[in-house]
Amino acid sequence: MQKENEVLYFDHAATSWPKPQAVLDAVMSAMQHESANPGRGSHRMAVKASRVLFGGRRSLAKLFGIRNPNDIAFTLNTTAALNVAIKGFLKPGDHVIATAVEHNSVRRPLTYIREHGVEVSYVDTDEHGELDAAMVESAIRPHTALIIVNHSSNLLGSILPVADIGEVARRHGVRLLVDAAQSAGVLDIDVEAMGIDMLAFPGHKALLGPQGTGGLYLHPELDLEPLLHGGTGSQSEAEGQPDIRPDRYEAGTPNTPGIAGLRAGVETILDVGTARIRAHERELTLRLMDGLQALKGLRILGPPAGRPRTGIVSFVASEVDPSELAFILDQHYGIAVRAGYHCTPLAHGQAGTSSTGAVRASVGWTSTTDEVDAFIAAMKEIMKHY
C-alpha cells in the first residue's frame, strides 16, 4: 500500500505527469517576461511573446517533418484541432471515411456534419483494434474527400498503418487527416513521408506540455473555412478573417505561457529522441501485460504481446466492475487509472466491452519499472478477494 498522498500515475494517455522541470520553468518565465499579446503590438514584450510562438512552431515542425512552421496553427487541444479540420474542410455532398476506433473528438464532429449533408462511413477493425490499408481503400467512393485515421487507439493501444493509408489516399486523390493524440511524441511522424495532409495533436500528453495546448498541421495546398473569426493582430482593417497563416486559424489571444511550456516539452523529446521514448514505454508495457496476464479472470484488450502498441494497457475483470476497481486502486493503493468508456464507444464496440467499459492503465516517459511492479502487486492483492 502506498503512503498517504503518494501517487503512482498510470493515466498518461489522458495527460502526462509529472512535467519536466524545463516545462515548468518555461511557463513561469513566459508569465514573468513574455506576458504581452503576441502580434498585437510592436513593443519589446509583444515581440518577445511572438518569438515564443514561432519558437514553438519551429520545434514542432522539426519533430513532425513540416517544412514551413507557419503551416501549424495552435489550438486548445486535439479536439479543437479536429473540429477545425473536419468542419473547415468537408462540404455537403462529400463522403468521409473514419475508423471504428475513433475518439469522440472525431465521432461527434462527424455526427454533426452528417446532419449537414456529409456522408460518413466507418471501417471496422478486428477485436484488437487493428486493420490494414486495403480495408480503408475498399470504402472509397467517387465522392470521398477525406480519410480520418486514429494513429493509435486511446483504448486499445493499437497502431494503425498511417503511411500505408496515406499511400492509398494519394493514389485516389483523397486527403488524409490523422488524430495523433496518442502518438505525437512517441511514434515517429513525418507528414510528407507518410502522406498526411492534416495532423491534429495535443500538447499535454506525450509532448509533455501544459493542458490547454495543441495544434493542427495543414498542408500548404489546403484552405479551410476558419472555425473561429475575430482578432488576429494582422490585417485588422479587413472585414473578413485574414488569408495568411497561421493567423487565419488563430483568432483571439493565444496561450503564450502554455505554448512556451509546450516548446520546452518538444525540445525535451527532440533531445531524448522518440526511439528511446518508444523503447522505454514498450518495455514497461510488456512488463505490465505479462504481470496482468498471469491473473485469473482478467482480460487484456488490444493487440497481443509482441504486436505493436503504444503504452496503453486496458483490461476487464470478470468479477469486478471497472469503476469499482479504479476506485480501489486509487483509494487503497494511490494508483491513478482511468475507468469507463474513455470517450471512445466505437472502440469499445470493436473490443466487445460496450456493456461494461474497461480499466485503462497507461505509461509514459516518466514511468518506472518499480511503479509497474507496484501496480501488478496491487492487482494481485485485489483479485485475491474476487
Side-chain angles (χ1 to χ4, degrees), residues 2 8 10 284 287 367-377:
Q2 296 303 114
L8 295 182
F10 284 86
L284 296 183
R287 190 182 188 95
S367 301
T368 67
T369 300
D370 287 345
E371 289 175 339
V372 169
D373 290 345
F375 185 93
I376 295 168

PDB file of all heavy atoms in Angstrom, residues 2 8 10 284 287 367-377:
ATOM      1  N   GLN A   2       0.492   2.281  -0.803  1.00  0.00           N
ATOM      2  CA  GLN A   2       1.285   3.487  -0.911  1.00  0.00           C
ATOM      3  C   GLN A   2       1.092   4.384   0.309  1.00  0.00           C
ATOM      4  O   GLN A   2       0.079   4.323   1.009  1.00  0.00           O
ATOM      5  CB  GLN A   2       0.884   4.261  -2.171  1.00  0.00           C
ATOM      6  CG  GLN A   2       1.171   3.518  -3.468  1.00  0.00           C
ATOM      7  CD  GLN A   2       2.616   3.149  -3.607  1.00  0.00           C
ATOM      8  OE1 GLN A   2       2.960   1.974  -3.603  1.00  0.00           O
ATOM      9  NE2 GLN A   2       3.465   4.139  -3.691  1.00  0.00           N
ATOM     10  N   LEU A   8       0.917   6.826  -7.683  1.00  0.00           N
ATOM     11  CA  LEU A   8       1.511   6.086  -8.795  1.00  0.00           C
ATOM     12  C   LEU A   8       0.639   6.393 -10.005  1.00  0.00           C
ATOM     13  O   LEU A   8      -0.520   5.993 -10.053  1.00  0.00           O
ATOM     14  CB  LEU A   8       1.540   4.580  -8.495  1.00  0.00           C
ATOM     15  CG  LEU A   8       2.422   4.131  -7.342  1.00  0.00           C
ATOM     16  CD1 LEU A   8       2.384   2.619  -7.200  1.00  0.00           C
ATOM     17  CD2 LEU A   8       3.859   4.590  -7.560  1.00  0.00           C
ATOM     18  N   PHE A  10      -0.759   6.261 -13.614  1.00  0.00           N
ATOM     19  CA  PHE A  10      -0.922   5.422 -14.805  1.00  0.00           C
ATOM     20  C   PHE A  10      -2.044   5.977 -15.688  1.00  0.00           C
ATOM     21  O   PHE A  10      -2.879   5.236 -16.193  1.00  0.00           O
ATOM     22  CB  PHE A  10      -1.231   3.975 -14.407  1.00  0.00           C
ATOM     23  CG  PHE A  10      -0.025   3.221 -13.911  1.00  0.00           C
ATOM     24  CD1 PHE A  10       0.348   3.295 -12.580  1.00  0.00           C
ATOM     25  CD2 PHE A  10       0.735   2.460 -14.780  1.00  0.00           C
ATOM     26  CE1 PHE A  10       1.468   2.602 -12.116  1.00  0.00           C
ATOM     27  CE2 PHE A  10       1.858   1.767 -14.331  1.00  0.00           C
ATOM     28  CZ  PHE A  10       2.220   1.839 -12.997  1.00  0.00           C
ATOM     29  N   LEU A 284       8.071  -1.170 -20.531  1.00  0.00           N
ATOM     30  CA  LEU A 284       7.160  -1.113 -19.392  1.00  0.00           C
ATOM     31  C   LEU A 284       5.792  -1.710 -19.735  1.00  0.00           C
ATOM     32  O   LEU A 284       5.171  -2.377 -18.908  1.00  0.00           O
ATOM     33  CB  LEU A 284       6.988   0.332 -18.930  1.00  0.00           C
ATOM     34  CG  LEU A 284       8.230   1.031 -18.378  1.00  0.00           C
ATOM     35  CD1 LEU A 284       7.883   2.433 -17.899  1.00  0.00           C
ATOM     36  CD2 LEU A 284       8.853   0.234 -17.235  1.00  0.00           C
ATOM     37  N   ARG A 287       6.024  -5.459 -19.670  1.00  0.00           N
ATOM     38  CA  ARG A 287       6.150  -5.909 -18.276  1.00  0.00           C
ATOM     39  C   ARG A 287       4.788  -5.885 -17.590  1.00  0.00           C
ATOM     40  O   ARG A 287       4.419  -6.817 -16.862  1.00  0.00           O
ATOM     41  CB  ARG A 287       7.140  -5.003 -17.537  1.00  0.00           C
ATOM     42  CG  ARG A 287       7.546  -5.491 -16.145  1.00  0.00           C
ATOM     43  CD  ARG A 287       8.482  -4.491 -15.491  1.00  0.00           C
ATOM     44  NE  ARG A 287       9.045  -4.998 -14.256  1.00  0.00           N
ATOM     45  CZ  ARG A 287      10.222  -5.613 -14.138  1.00  0.00           C
ATOM     46  NH1 ARG A 287      10.964  -5.799 -15.219  1.00  0.00           N
ATOM     47  NH2 ARG A 287      10.650  -6.041 -12.965  1.00  0.00           N
ATOM     48  N   SER A 367       7.413   7.093 -16.373  1.00  0.00           N
ATOM     49  CA  SER A 367       7.050   5.877 -15.636  1.00  0.00           C
ATOM     50  C   SER A 367       8.289   5.023 -15.386  1.00  0.00           C
ATOM     51  O   SER A 367       9.274   5.079 -16.132  1.00  0.00           O
ATOM     52  CB  SER A 367       6.017   5.066 -16.424  1.00  0.00           C
ATOM     53  OG  SER A 367       4.854   5.821 -16.674  1.00  0.00           O
ATOM     54  N   THR A 368       8.216   4.201 -14.325  1.00  0.00           N
ATOM     55  CA  THR A 368       9.371   3.382 -13.944  1.00  0.00           C
ATOM     56  C   THR A 368       8.980   1.918 -13.777  1.00  0.00           C
ATOM     57  O   THR A 368       7.798   1.586 -13.609  1.00  0.00           O
ATOM     58  CB  THR A 368       9.980   3.879 -12.615  1.00  0.00           C
ATOM     59  OG1 THR A 368       9.043   3.644 -11.548  1.00  0.00           O
ATOM     60  CG2 THR A 368      10.323   5.361 -12.675  1.00  0.00           C
ATOM     61  N   THR A 369       9.994   1.079 -13.771  1.00  0.00           N
ATOM     62  CA  THR A 369       9.791  -0.355 -13.527  1.00  0.00           C
ATOM     63  C   THR A 369       9.196  -0.600 -12.155  1.00  0.00           C
ATOM     64  O   THR A 369       8.304  -1.451 -11.987  1.00  0.00           O
ATOM     65  CB  THR A 369      11.126  -1.104 -13.666  1.00  0.00           C
ATOM     66  OG1 THR A 369      11.631  -0.913 -14.989  1.00  0.00           O
ATOM     67  CG2 THR A 369      10.955  -2.583 -13.405  1.00  0.00           C
ATOM     68  N   ASP A 370       9.669   0.122 -11.152  1.00  0.00           N
ATOM     69  CA  ASP A 370       9.152  -0.050  -9.796  1.00  0.00           C
ATOM     70  C   ASP A 370       7.654   0.270  -9.735  1.00  0.00           C
ATOM     71  O   ASP A 370       6.895  -0.409  -9.021  1.00  0.00           O
ATOM     72  CB  ASP A 370       9.915   0.849  -8.822  1.00  0.00           C
ATOM     73  CG  ASP A 370      11.327   0.342  -8.541  1.00  0.00           C
ATOM     74  OD1 ASP A 370      11.615  -0.826  -8.865  1.00  0.00           O
ATOM     75  OD2 ASP A 370      12.143   1.122  -8.007  1.00  0.00           O
ATOM     76  N   GLU A 371       7.233   1.288 -10.462  1.00  0.00           N
ATOM     77  CA  GLU A 371       5.820   1.638 -10.470  1.00  0.00           C
ATOM     78  C   GLU A 371       4.984   0.527 -11.113  1.00  0.00           C
ATOM     79  O   GLU A 371       3.904   0.189 -10.615  1.00  0.00           O
ATOM     80  CB  GLU A 371       5.617   2.955 -11.220  1.00  0.00           C
ATOM     81  CG  GLU A 371       6.139   4.175 -10.471  1.00  0.00           C
ATOM     82  CD  GLU A 371       6.038   5.445 -11.287  1.00  0.00           C
ATOM     83  OE1 GLU A 371       5.947   5.362 -12.538  1.00  0.00           O
ATOM     84  OE2 GLU A 371       6.052   6.537 -10.672  1.00  0.00           O
ATOM     85  N   VAL A 372       5.484  -0.019 -12.202  1.00  0.00           N
ATOM     86  CA  VAL A 372       4.777  -1.114 -12.863  1.00  0.00           C
ATOM     87  C   VAL A 372       4.670  -2.317 -11.931  1.00  0.00           C
ATOM     88  O   VAL A 372       3.607  -2.935 -11.810  1.00  0.00           O
ATOM     89  CB  VAL A 372       5.481  -1.501 -14.175  1.00  0.00           C
ATOM     90  CG1 VAL A 372       4.906  -2.803 -14.736  1.00  0.00           C
ATOM     91  CG2 VAL A 372       5.342  -0.381 -15.200  1.00  0.00           C
ATOM     92  N   ASP A 373       5.753  -2.646 -11.256  1.00  0.00           N
ATOM     93  CA  ASP A 373       5.736  -3.789 -10.329  1.00  0.00           C
ATOM     94  C   ASP A 373       4.764  -3.551  -9.180  1.00  0.00           C
ATOM     95  O   ASP A 373       4.074  -4.482  -8.728  1.00  0.00           O
ATOM     96  CB  ASP A 373       7.147  -4.041  -9.793  1.00  0.00           C
ATOM     97  CG  ASP A 373       8.084  -4.590 -10.858  1.00  0.00           C
ATOM     98  OD1 ASP A 373       7.591  -5.032 -11.912  1.00  0.00           O
ATOM     99  OD2 ASP A 373       9.310  -4.571 -10.630  1.00  0.00           O
ATOM    100  N   ALA A 374       4.698  -2.306  -8.693  1.00  0.00           N
ATOM    101  CA  ALA A 374       3.754  -1.981  -7.621  1.00  0.00           C
ATOM    102  C   ALA A 374       2.313  -2.107  -8.108  1.00  0.00           C
ATOM    103  O   ALA A 374       1.426  -2.560  -7.369  1.00  0.00           O
ATOM    104  CB  ALA A 374       4.009  -0.565  -7.105  1.00  0.00           C
ATOM    105  N   PHE A 375       2.072  -1.732  -9.342  1.00  0.00           N
ATOM    106  CA  PHE A 375       0.729  -1.862  -9.923  1.00  0.00           C
ATOM    107  C   PHE A 375       0.331  -3.337 -10.000  1.00  0.00           C
ATOM    108  O   PHE A 375      -0.781  -3.718  -9.622  1.00  0.00           O
ATOM    109  CB  PHE A 375       0.711  -1.230 -11.318  1.00  0.00           C
ATOM    110  CG  PHE A 375      -0.645  -1.212 -11.963  1.00  0.00           C
ATOM    111  CD1 PHE A 375      -1.469  -0.109 -11.829  1.00  0.00           C
ATOM    112  CD2 PHE A 375      -1.122  -2.294 -12.692  1.00  0.00           C
ATOM    113  CE1 PHE A 375      -2.730  -0.079 -12.409  1.00  0.00           C
ATOM    114  CE2 PHE A 375      -2.373  -2.280 -13.275  1.00  0.00           C
ATOM    115  CZ  PHE A 375      -3.180  -1.167 -13.132  1.00  0.00           C
ATOM    116  N   ILE A 376       1.228  -4.170 -10.480  1.00  0.00           N
ATOM    117  CA  ILE A 376       0.940  -5.609 -10.596  1.00  0.00           C
ATOM    118  C   ILE A 376       0.675  -6.215  -9.222  1.00  0.00           C
ATOM    119  O   ILE A 376      -0.259  -7.007  -9.039  1.00  0.00           O
ATOM    120  CB  ILE A 376       2.101  -6.322 -11.296  1.00  0.00           C
ATOM    121  CG1 ILE A 376       2.219  -5.839 -12.751  1.00  0.00           C
ATOM    122  CG2 ILE A 376       1.921  -7.832 -11.255  1.00  0.00           C
ATOM    123  CD1 ILE A 376       3.489  -6.270 -13.444  1.00  0.00           C
ATOM    124  N   ALA A 377       1.495  -5.833  -8.237  1.00  0.00           N
ATOM    125  CA  ALA A 377       1.312  -6.345  -6.874  1.00  0.00           C
ATOM    126  C   ALA A 377      -0.054  -5.945  -6.319  1.00  0.00           C
ATOM    127  O   ALA A 377      -0.736  -6.750  -5.662  1.00  0.00           O
ATOM    128  CB  ALA A 377       2.429  -5.829  -5.974  1.00  0.00           C
TER     129      ALA A 377
END
